[in-house]
Amino acid sequence: SAASLEAIKGKELALTERERPDFAAMTPARGAFGMIGAAVTISEGNKLIKENRVEDPAVYIGRSLAADLQGRHNTKLSPKGAPIASDEVTDLVKNAPGTDLVLDVRTINWSFVYFPTVWGKYRVIYSARMRLVDAKSGSVLAEGGCHRVPEHAPDAPSYDELVANAAQRLKQELKTAADFCISEFKSKTLAL
């Protein structure tokens, strides 16, 4: 609301720090094995993310939104982050002592999966949730979600294209999804 936006002017803002969530890398071969395939999908996906140093898009989204809030509302970014493992607002507030606001951006799902009609081509799926919390009162000032599930396109990457060159195409697709979410959060959740 307009009152919430007025209340954040000049306040100190901390970003949450979360562990990197599981990444699912679904291929047709893994998909055929049900629950066992799902476990392998996550294990192989996490390995791919770690080996190629792929950053959780929530980190980039949080930094971008914090910079925008700083520019538009003169907020100050706290040098201390707010480490959090749970999803409870009370834990967010408890882990950000001495700050006024907590910006929590959490990746809900990040994965890639083959197109059901074109098994050799893949899409990168991403969804996130953002909350801006008043650290003094524990109230949620703004909350919203975003998700991006691309339709099939002629330039959809193959598995090899996604993972080549230290997973450069995967990183590019995740940045595109993160930029989409930043736009959604700015226009719909934070009304910037």
Side-chain angles (χ1 to χ4, degrees):
S1 69
S4 294
L5 287 174
E6 189 60 34
I8 69 172
K9 287 190 188 252
K11 303 288 183 174
E12 186 175 53
L13 173 77
L15 294 173
T16 54
E17 297 171 349
R18 294 182 175 276
E19 286 192 28
R20 185 173 49 225
D22 286 333
F23 183 89
M26 177 64 76
T27 64
R30 293 180 193 132
F33 291 102
M35 293 302 288
I36 294 170
V40 172
T41 294
I42 291 171
S43 175
E44 290 296 316
N46 288 341
K47 181 180 174 186
L48 173 74
I49 293 300
K50 184 178 180 181
E51 287 177 353
N52 291 288
R53 295 183 174 96
V54 180
E55 184 179 77
D56 177 2
V59 174
Y60 168 68
I61 294 168
R63 288 182 193 140
S64 297
L65 293 174
D68 206 63
L69 287 167
Q70 187 174 17
R72 294 176 187 260
H73 299 288
N74 201 28
T75 59
K76 298 169 190 80
L77 185 59
S78 172
K80 298 179 288 185
I84 186 79
S86 81
D87 209 34
E88 299 298 321
V89 172
T90 53
D91 291 336
L92 287 175
V93 172
K94 184 173 32 175
N95 292 335
T99 192
D100 302 306
L101 304 166
V102 180
L103 180 61
D104 177 36
V105 180
R106 179 179 179 202
T107 292
I108 304 298
N109 175 33
W110 62 332
S111 59
F112 64 69
V113 63
Y114 57 93
F115 285 97
T117 55
V118 186
W119 284 16
K121 296 291 185 170
Y122 288 77
R123 62 179 159 193
V124 175
I125 298 170
Y126 184 75
S127 62
R129 190 207 53 223
M130 186 237 48
R131 294 184 292 191
L132 182 62
V133 177
D134 182 324
K136 304 296 185 201
S137 69
S139 61
V140 177
L141 302 174
E143 182 172 10
C146 73
H147 67 278
R148 183 173 184 271
V149 181
E151 296 295 322
H152 183 264
D155 66 339
S158 67
Y159 179 87
D160 289 341
E161 290 169 333
L162 273 175
V163 301
N165 300 319
Q168 193 59 42
R169 179 70 185 264
L170 174 60
K171 292 173 184 174
Q172 176 189 342
E173 295 289 329
L174 287 168
K175 184 177 183 308
T176 299
D179 287 337
F180 171 79
C181 287
I182 290 167
S183 177
E184 290 283 295
F185 291 142
K186 281 183 181 180
S187 64
K188 295 179 180 174
T189 308
L190 297 172
L192 299 174

Coordinates of all heavy atoms in Angstrom, one line a residue, residues 81-176:
G81 N 23.5 -10.0 6.5 CA 22.4 -10.7 5.9 C 21.6 -11.3 7.0 O 21.9 -11.3 8.2
A82 N 20.4 -11.9 6.7 CA 19.6 -12.6 7.6 C 19.5 -14.1 7.3 O 18.7 -14.5 6.4 CB 18.2 -12.0 7.6
P83 N 20.4 -14.9 7.8 CA 20.4 -16.3 7.5 C 19.1 -17.0 8.0 O 18.7 -16.7 9.1 CB 21.6 -16.9 8.2 CG 22.1 -15.9 9.2 CD 21.4 -14.6 8.8
I84 N 18.5 -17.8 7.1 CA 17.2 -18.4 7.5 C 17.1 -19.8 6.8 O 17.5 -20.0 5.7 CB 16.1 -17.5 7.0 CG1 14.7 -18.0 7.4 CG2 16.1 -17.2 5.5 CD1 14.4 -17.7 8.9
A85 N 16.6 -20.7 7.6 CA 16.4 -22.0 7.0 C 14.9 -22.3 7.0 O 14.5 -23.1 6.1 CB 17.1 -23.1 7.9
S86 N 14.1 -21.7 7.8 CA 12.7 -22.0 7.8 C 11.9 -21.0 6.9 O 12.6 -20.1 6.3 CB 12.1 -21.9 9.2 OG 11.9 -20.5 9.6
D87 N 10.6 -21.1 6.9 CA 9.8 -20.2 6.1 C 8.9 -19.3 7.0 O 8.0 -18.6 6.5 CB 8.9 -21.0 5.1 CG 8.6 -20.2 3.9 OD1 9.5 -19.4 3.4 OD2 7.5 -20.4 3.4
E88 N 9.2 -19.3 8.3 CA 8.4 -18.6 9.3 C 8.9 -17.1 9.4 O 10.1 -16.8 9.5 CB 8.5 -19.2 10.7 CG 8.0 -20.7 10.7 CD 6.6 -20.8 10.3 OE1 5.8 -19.9 10.7 OE2 6.2 -21.7 9.6
V89 N 7.9 -16.2 9.4 CA 8.2 -14.8 9.5 C 8.9 -14.5 10.8 O 9.8 -13.7 10.9 CB 6.9 -13.9 9.3 CG1 7.1 -12.5 9.6 CG2 6.4 -14.1 7.9
T90 N 8.5 -15.2 11.9 CA 9.1 -14.9 13.2 C 10.6 -15.3 13.1 O 11.4 -14.6 13.8 CB 8.4 -15.8 14.3 OG1 8.4 -17.2 13.9 CG2 7.0 -15.3 14.5
D91 N 11.0 -16.3 12.4 CA 12.4 -16.6 12.3 C 13.1 -15.6 11.4 O 14.3 -15.2 11.7 CB 12.6 -18.0 11.6 CG 12.1 -19.1 12.6 OD1 12.1 -18.9 13.8 OD2 11.8 -20.2 12.1
L92 N 12.5 -15.0 10.4 CA 13.1 -13.9 9.6 C 13.4 -12.8 10.5 O 14.5 -12.2 10.4 CB 12.1 -13.4 8.5 CG 11.8 -14.3 7.3 CD1 10.7 -13.6 6.5 CD2 13.1 -14.5 6.5
V93 N 12.5 -12.4 11.3 CA 12.6 -11.2 12.2 C 13.7 -11.5 13.3 O 14.6 -10.7 13.5 CB 11.3 -10.9 12.9 CG1 11.5 -9.8 14.0 CG2 10.3 -10.4 11.9
K94 N 13.7 -12.7 13.8 CA 14.7 -13.1 14.9 C 16.1 -13.1 14.3 O 17.1 -12.8 15.0 CB 14.3 -14.5 15.4 CG 15.2 -14.9 16.5 CD 14.7 -16.2 17.2 CE 14.1 -17.2 16.3 NZ 13.7 -18.5 16.8
N95 N 16.3 -13.4 13.0 CA 17.6 -13.5 12.4 C 18.1 -12.2 11.8 O 19.1 -12.2 11.1 CB 17.6 -14.7 11.4 CG 17.5 -16.0 12.0 OD1 17.8 -16.2 13.2 ND2 16.9 -17.0 11.3
A96 N 17.3 -11.2 12.0 CA 17.7 -9.9 11.5 C 17.7 -8.8 12.5 O 17.0 -7.8 12.4 CB 16.8 -9.5 10.3
P97 N 18.4 -9.0 13.7 CA 18.3 -8.0 14.7 C 19.0 -6.7 14.3 O 19.9 -6.7 13.6 CB 19.1 -8.7 15.9 CG 20.1 -9.6 15.2 CD 19.4 -10.1 14.0
G98 N 18.4 -5.6 14.8 CA 18.9 -4.3 14.6 C 18.6 -3.7 13.2 O 19.1 -2.7 12.9
T99 N 17.8 -4.4 12.4 CA 17.5 -3.9 11.1 C 16.0 -3.6 11.1 O 15.2 -4.0 12.0 CB 17.8 -4.8 9.9 OG1 17.7 -4.2 8.7 CG2 17.0 -6.1 10.0
D100 N 15.5 -2.8 10.1 CA 14.1 -2.3 10.1 C 13.3 -3.2 9.2 O 12.1 -3.5 9.5 CB 14.0 -0.9 9.5 CG 14.8 0.1 10.4 OD1 14.6 0.1 11.6 OD2 15.7 0.8 9.8
L101 N 13.9 -3.7 8.1 CA 13.2 -4.5 7.1 C 13.9 -5.7 6.7 O 15.2 -5.7 6.7 CB 12.9 -3.6 5.8 CG 12.2 -2.3 6.0 CD1 12.4 -1.4 4.7 CD2 10.7 -2.5 6.3
V102 N 13.2 -6.7 6.3 CA 13.9 -7.9 5.7 C 13.2 -8.2 4.4 O 12.0 -8.3 4.3 CB 13.7 -9.2 6.6 CG1 14.4 -10.4 6.0 CG2 14.2 -8.9 8.0
L103 N 14.1 -8.3 3.4 CA 13.6 -8.7 2.0 C 14.0 -10.2 1.8 O 15.2 -10.6 1.8 CB 14.3 -7.9 1.0 CG 13.9 -8.2 -0.5 CD1 12.4 -7.9 -0.7 CD2 14.7 -7.3 -1.5
D104 N 13.0 -11.0 1.7 CA 13.1 -12.4 1.6 C 12.7 -12.9 0.2 O 11.5 -12.8 -0.1 CB 12.3 -13.2 2.7 CG 12.3 -14.7 2.6 OD1 13.4 -15.2 2.2 OD2 11.3 -15.3 2.8
V105 N 13.7 -13.3 -0.6 CA 13.4 -13.9 -1.9 C 13.8 -15.3 -1.9 O 15.0 -15.6 -1.5 CB 14.1 -13.1 -3.0 CG1 13.8 -13.7 -4.4 CG2 13.8 -11.6 -3.0
R106 N 12.9 -16.2 -2.2 CA 13.1 -17.6 -2.1 C 12.8 -18.3 -3.4 O 11.7 -18.2 -3.9 CB 12.3 -18.2 -0.9 CG 12.4 -19.7 -0.8 CD 11.6 -20.2 0.3 NE 11.8 -21.7 0.4 CZ 10.9 -22.5 1.0 NH1 9.8 -22.0 1.5 NH2 11.2 -23.8 1.0
T107 N 13.7 -19.1 -3.9 CA 13.4 -20.0 -5.0 C 12.5 -21.1 -4.6 O 12.9 -21.8 -3.6 CB 14.7 -20.5 -5.6 OG1 15.5 -19.4 -6.2 CG2 14.5 -21.6 -6.7
I108 N 11.4 -21.3 -5.2 CA 10.5 -22.3 -4.9 C 10.8 -23.5 -5.8 O 10.8 -24.7 -5.3 CB 9.0 -21.9 -5.2 CG1 8.7 -20.6 -4.3 CG2 8.0 -23.0 -4.9 CD1 8.8 -20.8 -2.8
N109 N 11.0 -23.3 -7.1 CA 11.4 -24.4 -8.0 C 12.3 -23.8 -9.1 O 12.1 -22.8 -9.6 CB 10.1 -24.9 -8.7 CG 10.4 -25.9 -9.8 OD1 11.4 -26.7 -9.7 ND2 9.6 -25.9 -10.8
W110 N 13.4 -24.6 -9.3 CA 14.3 -24.3 -10.5 C 14.6 -25.7 -11.0 O 15.0 -26.6 -10.3 CB 15.4 -23.4 -10.1 CG 16.4 -23.8 -9.1 CD1 16.3 -24.7 -8.1 CD2 17.8 -23.4 -9.1 NE1 17.4 -24.8 -7.4 CE2 18.4 -24.0 -7.9 CE3 18.6 -22.6 -9.9 CZ2 19.7 -23.8 -7.6 CZ3 19.9 -22.4 -9.5 CH2 20.5 -23.0 -8.4
S111 N 14.5 -25.8 -12.3 CA 14.7 -27.1 -12.9 C 14.7 -26.9 -14.4 O 14.4 -25.9 -15.0 CB 13.5 -28.0 -12.5 OG 12.3 -27.5 -13.0
F112 N 15.2 -28.0 -15.1 CA 14.9 -28.1 -16.5 C 14.3 -29.4 -16.8 O 14.5 -30.4 -16.1 CB 16.1 -27.7 -17.4 CG 17.3 -28.6 -17.3 CD1 17.3 -29.9 -17.8 CD2 18.5 -28.2 -16.8 CE1 18.4 -30.8 -17.7 CE2 19.7 -29.0 -16.7 CZ 19.6 -30.3 -17.2
V113 N 13.5 -29.4 -17.9 CA 12.8 -30.6 -18.3 C 12.6 -30.6 -19.8 O 12.6 -29.5 -20.4 CB 11.4 -30.7 -17.6 CG1 10.5 -29.5 -18.0 CG2 10.7 -32.0 -17.8
Y114 N 12.6 -31.8 -20.3 CA 12.4 -31.9 -21.8 C 11.0 -31.6 -22.1 O 10.1 -31.8 -21.3 CB 12.8 -33.3 -22.3 CG 12.0 -34.4 -21.6 CD1 10.8 -34.9 -22.1 CD2 12.4 -34.9 -20.4 CE1 10.1 -35.9 -21.5 CE2 11.7 -35.9 -19.7 CZ 10.5 -36.4 -20.3 OH 9.8 -37.3 -19.6
F115 N 10.8 -31.1 -23.3 CA 9.4 -30.9 -23.8 C 8.7 -32.2 -24.1 O 9.4 -33.1 -24.7 CB 9.4 -30.0 -25.1 CG 9.7 -28.6 -24.8 CD1 11.0 -28.1 -25.0 CD2 8.7 -27.7 -24.4 CE1 11.2 -26.7 -24.8 CE2 8.9 -26.4 -24.2 CZ 10.2 -25.9 -24.4
P116 N 7.5 -32.4 -23.6 CA 6.9 -33.7 -23.8 C 6.7 -34.1 -25.2 O 6.7 -35.3 -25.5 CB 5.5 -33.6 -23.1 CG 5.5 -32.2 -22.5 CD 6.7 -31.5 -22.9
T117 N 6.6 -33.2 -26.1 CA 6.4 -33.5 -27.6 C 7.7 -33.5 -28.4 O 7.8 -33.9 -29.5 CB 5.4 -32.5 -28.2 OG1 5.9 -31.2 -28.0 CG2 4.1 -32.7 -27.6
V118 N 8.8 -32.9 -27.8 CA 10.1 -32.8 -28.4 C 11.2 -33.2 -27.4 O 11.7 -32.3 -26.7 CB 10.4 -31.4 -29.0 CG1 11.6 -31.4 -29.8 CG2 9.2 -30.9 -29.8
W119 N 11.4 -34.5 -27.2 CA 12.3 -34.9 -26.2 C 13.7 -34.4 -26.2 O 14.4 -34.4 -25.2 CB 12.3 -36.5 -26.2 CG 11.1 -37.1 -25.6 CD1 9.9 -36.4 -25.4 CD2 10.9 -38.4 -25.2 NE1 9.0 -37.3 -24.9 CE2 9.6 -38.5 -24.7 CE3 11.8 -39.5 -25.1 CZ2 9.1 -39.7 -24.2 CZ3 11.2 -40.7 -24.6 CH2 9.9 -40.8 -24.2
G120 N 14.2 -34.0 -27.3 CA 15.6 -33.5 -27.5 C 15.8 -32.1 -27.1 O 16.9 -31.6 -27.1
K121 N 14.7 -31.4 -26.8 CA 14.7 -29.9 -26.5 C 14.2 -29.7 -25.1 O 13.3 -30.4 -24.6 CB 13.9 -29.1 -27.5 CG 14.4 -29.2 -28.9 CD 15.7 -28.5 -29.0 CE 16.2 -28.4 -30.5 NZ 17.3 -27.6 -30.7
Y122 N 14.8 -28.7 -24.4 CA 14.5 -28.5 -23.0 C 14.1 -27.1 -22.7 O 14.3 -26.1 -23.5 CB 15.8 -28.7 -22.2 CG 16.1 -30.2 -22.1 CD1 16.7 -30.9 -23.2 CD2 15.9 -30.9 -21.0 CE1 17.0 -32.2 -23.1 CE2 16.1 -32.3 -20.9 CZ 16.7 -32.9 -22.0 OH 17.0 -34.3 -21.9
R123 N 13.4 -26.9 -21.6 CA 13.0 -25.6 -21.1 C 13.4 -25.5 -19.6 O 13.4 -26.5 -18.9 CB 11.5 -25.4 -21.2 CG 10.6 -26.3 -20.4 CD 9.2 -25.9 -20.7 NE 8.3 -27.0 -20.4 CZ 7.0 -27.0 -20.7 NH1 6.5 -26.0 -21.3 NH2 6.3 -28.1 -20.4
V124 N 13.8 -24.3 -19.2 CA 14.2 -24.1 -17.8 C 13.0 -23.4 -17.1 O 12.5 -22.4 -17.6 CB 15.4 -23.1 -17.8 CG1 15.8 -22.8 -16.4 CG2 16.6 -23.8 -18.5
I125 N 12.6 -24.1 -16.1 CA 11.4 -23.6 -15.3 C 11.9 -22.9 -14.0 O 12.8 -23.4 -13.4 CB 10.5 -24.8 -15.0 CG1 10.0 -25.4 -16.3 CG2 9.4 -24.4 -14.1 CD1 9.3 -26.8 -16.1
Y126 N 11.3 -21.8 -13.7 CA 11.7 -21.1 -12.5 C 10.4 -20.5 -11.8 O 9.6 -20.0 -12.4 CB 12.7 -20.0 -12.8 CG 13.2 -19.4 -11.5 CD1 14.1 -20.0 -10.7 CD2 12.7 -18.1 -11.1 CE1 14.5 -19.4 -9.5 CE2 13.1 -17.5 -10.0 CZ 14.0 -18.2 -9.1 OH 14.5 -17.6 -8.0
S127 N 10.4 -20.6 -10.5 CA 9.4 -19.9 -9.7 C 10.0 -19.4 -8.4 O 10.9 -20.1 -7.8 CB 8.2 -20.8 -9.4 OG 8.5 -21.9 -8.7
A128 N 9.5 -18.3 -7.9 CA 10.1 -17.7 -6.7 C 9.0 -17.0 -5.9 O 7.9 -16.7 -6.4 CB 11.2 -16.7 -7.0
R129 N 9.3 -16.7 -4.6 CA 8.4 -15.9 -3.8 C 9.2 -14.8 -3.1 O 10.3 -15.0 -2.8 CB 7.7 -16.8 -2.7 CG 6.6 -16.0 -2.0 CD 6.4 -16.4 -0.6 NE 7.6 -16.4 0.2 CZ 8.0 -17.4 1.1 NH1 7.2 -18.4 1.2 NH2 9.1 -17.3 1.7
M130 N 8.6 -13.6 -3.0 CA 9.2 -12.5 -2.4 C 8.4 -12.0 -1.3 O 7.1 -11.9 -1.4 CB 9.4 -11.4 -3.4 CG 10.2 -10.2 -2.9 SD 9.5 -8.6 -3.0 CE 7.9 -8.8 -2.4
R131 N 9.0 -11.6 -0.1 CA 8.3 -11.0 1.0 C 9.1 -9.8 1.5 O 10.3 -10.0 1.6 CB 8.1 -11.9 2.1 CG 7.1 -13.1 1.8 CD 6.9 -13.9 3.1 NE 8.1 -14.6 3.5 CZ 8.1 -15.6 4.4 NH1 7.0 -16.0 5.0 NH2 9.2 -16.2 4.7
L132 N 8.5 -8.7 1.8 CA 9.1 -7.6 2.4 C 8.5 -7.5 3.8 O 7.2 -7.4 3.9 CB 8.9 -6.3 1.7 CG 9.5 -5.1 2.3 CD1 11.1 -5.2 2.3 CD2 9.1 -3.8 1.5
V133 N 9.3 -7.7 4.8 CA 8.8 -7.8 6.2 C 9.3 -6.7 7.1 O 10.5 -6.3 7.0 CB 9.2 -9.2 6.8 CG1 8.8 -9.3 8.3 CG2 8.7 -10.4 6.0
D134 N 8.4 -6.1 7.9 CA 8.8 -5.1 8.9 C 9.4 -5.9 10.0 O 8.7 -6.7 10.7 CB 7.5 -4.4 9.3 CG 7.9 -3.3 10.3 OD1 8.8 -3.5 11.2 OD2 7.2 -2.3 10.3
A135 N 10.7 -5.7 10.2 CA 11.4 -6.5 11.2 C 11.1 -6.1 12.7 O 11.3 -6.9 13.6 CB 12.9 -6.4 11.0
K136 N 10.5 -4.9 12.8 CA 10.1 -4.5 14.2 C 8.8 -5.1 14.6 O 8.6 -5.5 15.7 CB 10.0 -2.9 14.2 CG 11.3 -2.2 13.8 CD 12.5 -2.5 14.7 CE 13.7 -1.6 14.3 NZ 14.9 -2.2 14.7
S137 N 7.8 -5.1 13.7 CA 6.5 -5.6 14.1 C 6.2 -7.0 13.6 O 5.3 -7.7 14.1 CB 5.4 -4.7 13.4 OG 5.4 -4.9 12.0
G138 N 7.0 -7.5 12.7 CA 6.8 -8.8 12.2 C 5.7 -8.9 11.1 O 5.4 -10.0 10.7
S139 N 5.3 -7.8 10.7 CA 4.2 -7.8 9.7 C 4.8 -7.9 8.3 O 5.8 -7.3 8.0 CB 3.3 -6.6 9.8 OG 4.0 -5.4 9.6
V140 N 4.1 -8.6 7.4 CA 4.4 -8.7 6.0 C 3.9 -7.5 5.3 O 2.7 -7.3 5.2 CB 3.9 -10.0 5.4 CG1 4.3 -10.0 3.9 CG2 4.5 -11.2 6.1
L141 N 4.8 -6.6 4.7 CA 4.3 -5.4 4.0 C 3.9 -5.7 2.6 O 3.1 -5.0 2.1 CB 5.4 -4.4 4.1 CG 5.9 -3.9 5.5 CD1 7.1 -3.0 5.4 CD2 4.8 -3.3 6.2
A142 N 4.6 -6.7 2.0 CA 4.3 -7.0 0.6 C 4.7 -8.5 0.4 O 5.7 -8.9 1.0 CB 5.1 -6.1 -0.4
E143 N 4.0 -9.2 -0.4 CA 4.3 -10.6 -0.7 C 3.7 -10.9 -2.1 O 2.6 -10.5 -2.5 CB 3.6 -11.5 0.3 CG 4.0 -13.0 0.1 CD 3.5 -13.9 1.2 OE1 2.8 -13.4 2.1 OE2 3.9 -15.0 1.2
G144 N 4.5 -11.6 -2.9 CA 4.1 -12.0 -4.2 C 4.9 -13.2 -4.7 O 5.9 -13.5 -4.2
G145 N 4.4 -13.7 -5.8 CA 5.1 -14.8 -6.4 C 5.3 -14.6 -7.9 O 4.6 -13.8 -8.5
C146 N 6.2 -15.4 -8.5 CA 6.3 -15.3 -10.0 C 6.7 -16.7 -10.4 O 7.2 -17.5 -9.7 CB 7.4 -14.3 -10.4 SG 9.1 -14.9 -10.0
H147 N 6.4 -17.0 -11.7 CA 6.8 -18.3 -12.3 C 6.9 -18.1 -13.8 O 6.2 -17.4 -14.4 CB 5.9 -19.5 -11.9 CG 4.5 -19.4 -12.5 ND1 3.5 -18.6 -12.0 CD2 4.0 -19.9 -13.6 CE1 2.4 -18.7 -12.7 NE2 2.7 -19.4 -13.7
R148 N 7.9 -18.8 -14.3 CA 8.1 -18.8 -15.8 C 8.3 -20.2 -16.3 O 9.2 -21.0 -15.8 CB 9.4 -18.0 -16.0 CG 9.7 -17.8 -17.5 CD 10.8 -16.9 -17.8 NE 11.1 -16.6 -19.2 CZ 11.8 -17.4 -20.0 NH1 12.5 -18.4 -19.5 NH2 12.0 -17.1 -21.2
V149 N 7.4 -20.6 -17.2 CA 7.5 -21.9 -17.8 C 7.4 -21.6 -19.3 O 6.3 -21.4 -19.9 CB 6.3 -22.8 -17.4 CG1 6.4 -24.2 -18.1 CG2 6.2 -22.9 -15.9
P150 N 8.5 -21.6 -20.0 CA 8.6 -21.3 -21.4 C 7.8 -22.3 -22.3 O 7.9 -23.5 -22.0 CB 10.1 -21.2 -21.8 CG 10.8 -21.2 -20.5 CD 9.9 -21.8 -19.5
E151 N 7.2 -21.8 -23.3 CA 6.6 -22.6 -24.3 C 7.7 -23.1 -25.3 O 8.8 -22.5 -25.3 CB 5.5 -21.8 -25.1 CG 4.4 -21.3 -24.3 CD 3.5 -22.5 -23.8 OE1 3.3 -23.5 -24.5 OE2 3.1 -22.4 -22.6
H152 N 7.4 -24.1 -26.0 CA 8.4 -24.6 -27.0 C 8.7 -23.5 -28.0 O 7.7 -22.9 -28.5 CB 7.9 -25.9 -27.7 CG 8.9 -26.4 -28.6 ND1 8.9 -26.2 -30.0 CD2 10.0 -27.2 -28.4 CE1 9.9 -26.8 -30.5 NE2 10.6 -27.4 -29.6
A153 N 9.9 -23.4 -28.4 CA 10.3 -22.4 -29.4 C 11.4 -23.1 -30.2 O 12.1 -24.0 -29.8 CB 10.9 -21.2 -28.7
P154 N 11.6 -22.6 -31.5 CA 12.6 -23.3 -32.4 C 14.0 -23.2 -31.8 O 14.8 -24.1 -32.1 CB 12.5 -22.5 -33.7 CG 11.1 -21.8 -33.6 CD 10.8 -21.6 -32.2
D155 N 14.3 -22.2 -31.0 CA 15.7 -22.1 -30.5 C 15.8 -22.7 -29.1 O 16.8 -22.5 -28.4 CB 16.1 -20.7 -30.5 CG 15.3 -19.8 -29.5 OD1 14.2 -20.2 -29.1 OD2 15.8 -18.7 -29.1
A156 N 14.8 -23.5 -28.7 CA 14.9 -24.2 -27.4 C 16.2 -25.1 -27.4 O 16.5 -25.7 -28.3 CB 13.7 -25.1 -27.1
P157 N 17.0 -25.0 -26.3 CA 18.2 -25.7 -26.2 C 18.1 -27.3 -26.1 O 17.1 -27.8 -25.5 CB 18.9 -25.1 -25.0 CG 17.8 -24.7 -24.1 CD 16.7 -24.3 -25.0
S158 N 19.1 -27.9 -26.5 CA 19.3 -29.4 -26.3 C 19.9 -29.5 -24.9 O 20.4 -28.5 -24.3 CB 20.1 -30.0 -27.3 OG 21.5 -29.6 -27.2
Y159 N 20.0 -30.7 -24.4 CA 20.7 -31.0 -23.1 C 22.1 -30.5 -23.2 O 22.6 -29.8 -22.3 CB 20.6 -32.4 -22.7 CG 21.3 -32.8 -21.4 CD1 20.6 -32.6 -20.2 CD2 22.6 -33.2 -21.4 CE1 21.3 -32.9 -19.0 CE2 23.3 -33.4 -20.2 CZ 22.6 -33.3 -19.0 OH 23.3 -33.6 -17.9
D160 N 22.8 -30.9 -24.3 CA 24.2 -30.6 -24.4 C 24.4 -29.1 -24.5 O 25.4 -28.6 -24.0 CB 24.8 -31.2 -25.7 CG 24.9 -32.8 -25.5 OD1 24.9 -33.2 -24.4 OD2 25.0 -33.5 -26.6
E161 N 23.5 -28.4 -25.2 CA 23.6 -26.9 -25.2 C 23.4 -26.3 -23.8 O 24.1 -25.3 -23.5 CB 22.6 -26.3 -26.2 CG 22.9 -26.7 -27.7 CD 21.8 -26.3 -28.6 OE1 20.6 -26.4 -28.2 OE2 22.1 -26.1 -29.8
L162 N 22.5 -26.8 -23.0 CA 22.3 -26.3 -21.7 C 23.5 -26.4 -20.8 O 23.8 -25.5 -20.0 CB 21.1 -27.0 -21.0 CG 19.7 -26.5 -21.2 CD1 18.7 -27.4 -20.6 CD2 19.6 -25.1 -20.7
V163 N 24.2 -27.5 -20.9 CA 25.3 -27.8 -20.0 C 26.7 -27.4 -20.5 O 27.7 -27.5 -19.8 CB 25.3 -29.2 -19.5 CG1 24.0 -29.5 -18.8 CG2 25.6 -30.2 -20.6
A164 N 26.8 -27.1 -21.8 CA 28.1 -26.8 -22.4 C 28.7 -25.5 -21.8 O 28.0 -24.6 -21.3 CB 28.0 -26.6 -23.9
N165 N 30.0 -25.4 -21.8 CA 30.8 -24.2 -21.4 C 30.4 -23.8 -20.0 O 29.9 -22.6 -19.8 CB 30.5 -23.0 -22.4 CG 31.0 -23.3 -23.8 OD1 32.1 -23.9 -24.0 ND2 30.2 -23.0 -24.8
A166 N 30.5 -24.7 -19.1 CA 30.2 -24.4 -17.7 C 28.7 -24.0 -17.5 O 28.4 -23.2 -16.7 CB 31.1 -23.4 -17.1
A167 N 27.8 -24.7 -18.3 CA 26.4 -24.5 -18.2 C 26.0 -23.1 -18.5 O 25.1 -22.5 -17.9 CB 25.8 -24.9 -16.8
Q168 N 26.7 -22.5 -19.5 CA 26.4 -21.1 -19.8 C 25.0 -20.8 -20.3 O 24.4 -19.8 -19.9 CB 27.4 -20.6 -20.9 CG 27.4 -19.1 -21.2 CD 27.8 -18.4 -19.9 OE1 28.7 -18.8 -19.2 NE2 27.1 -17.3 -19.6
R169 N 24.4 -21.7 -21.1 CA 23.0 -21.5 -21.6 C 22.1 -21.6 -20.4 O 21.1 -20.9 -20.3 CB 22.7 -22.5 -22.7 CG 21.3 -22.4 -23.3 CD 21.1 -21.1 -24.1 NE 19.7 -21.0 -24.5 CZ 19.2 -21.3 -25.7 NH1 20.0 -21.9 -26.6 NH2 18.0 -21.2 -26.0
L170 N 22.3 -22.6 -19.5 CA 21.5 -22.7 -18.3 C 21.5 -21.4 -17.5 O 20.5 -20.9 -17.1 CB 21.9 -23.9 -17.5 CG 21.2 -24.1 -16.1 CD1 19.7 -24.3 -16.3 CD2 21.8 -25.3 -15.4
K171 N 22.7 -20.9 -17.3 CA 22.8 -19.6 -16.6 C 22.1 -18.5 -17.3 O 21.4 -17.7 -16.6 CB 24.3 -19.3 -16.4 CG 25.0 -20.2 -15.5 CD 26.5 -19.9 -15.5 CE 27.3 -20.9 -14.7 NZ 28.8 -20.8 -14.7
Q172 N 22.1 -18.5 -18.6 CA 21.4 -17.4 -19.4 C 19.9 -17.6 -19.2 O 19.2 -16.6 -19.0 CB 21.8 -17.6 -20.8 CG 21.1 -16.6 -21.8 CD 21.4 -16.9 -23.2 OE1 22.4 -17.6 -23.5 NE2 20.5 -16.5 -24.1
E173 N 19.4 -18.8 -19.3 CA 18.0 -19.1 -19.1 C 17.5 -18.7 -17.7 O 16.4 -18.1 -17.5 CB 17.7 -20.5 -19.4 CG 17.9 -20.9 -20.9 CD 16.9 -20.3 -21.9 OE1 15.8 -20.1 -21.5 OE2 17.3 -20.1 -23.0
L174 N 18.3 -19.0 -16.7 CA 17.9 -18.6 -15.3 C 18.0 -17.1 -15.1 O 17.1 -16.6 -14.4 CB 18.9 -19.3 -14.3 CG 18.7 -20.8 -14.2 CD1 19.8 -21.5 -13.4 CD2 17.3 -21.1 -13.5
K175 N 18.9 -16.4 -15.8 CA 18.9 -15.0 -15.7 C 17.7 -14.4 -16.3 O 17.1 -13.4 -15.8 CB 20.2 -14.4 -16.3 CG 20.2 -12.9 -16.1 CD 21.5 -12.3 -16.6 CE 21.6 -10.8 -16.3 NZ 20.4 -10.0 -16.8
T176 N 17.3 -14.9 -17.5 CA 16.1 -14.5 -18.2 C 14.9 -14.6 -17.2 O 14.0 -13.8 -17.1 CB 15.9 -15.2 -19.5 OG1 17.0 -15.0 -20.3 CG2 14.6 -14.8 -20.2

